Amino acid sequence: MTSIAIIGAGPQLGLAIARTFGSQGLNVALISRNRDKLDDLVGKLTAEGITAAAFPADVLDRDALTQALKDAVAKFGRIDVLEYSPVGGFDSTALTTPVETEPAHVQHEIEFQLYGAIAATRAVLPAMREAGAGTLLYTTGAGSIDPVPQVGNVNAAAAALRNWAINLHKELDGTGVQAAHVGIDVSIGTPAVPGFPTAQPEEISPVYWELHTTKRDQPELVFSL
């Protein structure tokens, strides 16, 4: 059986990615903090004929995240695709400009974006390398490429994740394992800022399938309108 693990699975992009890969026959492991929300997503996917299961874990709890991925492997046999795109809530994320930023403001975001991604990767990469196949996809906003002062601390951590993902792509060249960064230069679903381009999740999710299938030599794709 083939499967995708979606870390940070939610009702917008995470669900769209699950549908894109699930419709191609992959089993779907959904990972995020809230069991009830995950169960709702599993119900929707199951009703559409997609095999899915929930594995609750907080990306800030590296042991729990690693265990969730182990549990997904136990259920589905292996993880062929890892997609990492957790989103912090306003209750946990303080947005600061570069001038306002203190080390703690960036530290939290580094823990959330970069360290969580590294922990998840370490949990699945050895088996991928042994098999000589697999896909690792890491999502950030396009501020990781062209930063915006209003979210300076978030952009700094996102840029660190982008740098690490592209470097991982270079290191894995020739192994059969694809690593890539996806930069999203739109608001998803509803406008976050008046006048800023907006796209529906279903418009974005095919990018992930392309990186998994036809664009395995590319370290990065940026979705924009």
Side-chain angles (χ1 to χ4, degrees), residues 30-48:
L30 301 172
I31 300 173
S32 70
R33 290 173 293 178
N34 190 302
R35 160 69 80 171
D36 291 339
K37 291 181 180 179
L38 287 180
D39 287 343
D40 182 60
L41 297 180
V42 169
K44 290 180 180 178
L45 293 169
T46 301
E48 297 169 17

Side-chain angles (χ1 to χ4, degrees), residues 88-134:
F90 290 110
D91 57 333
S92 62
T93 301
L95 304 180
T96 61
T97 70
V99 170
E100 297 168 334
T101 297
E102 298 178 5
H105 295 140
V106 177
Q107 180 62 37
H108 176 270
E109 291 304 310
I110 287 285
E111 294 271 356
F112 189 75
Q113 297 193 57
L114 179 61
Y115 294 170
I118 291 173
T121 302
R122 289 180 63 84
V124 302
L125 181 54
M128 289 183 177
R129 296 199 71 169
E130 184 176 353

Side-chain angles (χ1 to χ4, degrees), residues 182-215:
V182 179
I184 300 180
D185 194 18
V186 295
S187 293
I188 301 175
T190 56
V193 178
F196 192 72
T198 302
Q200 296 307 308
E202 295 76 17
E203 298 177 82
I204 303 170
S205 59
V207 166
Y208 296 83
W209 185 252
E210 291 171 5
L211 285 167
H212 176 56
T213 55
T214 61
K215 297 184 177 179

Side-chain angles (χ1 to χ4, degrees), residues 126-145:
M128 289 183 177
R129 296 199 71 169
E130 184 176 353
T135 303
L136 304 161
L137 303 173
Y138 308 92
T139 304
T140 73
S144 63
I145 304 166

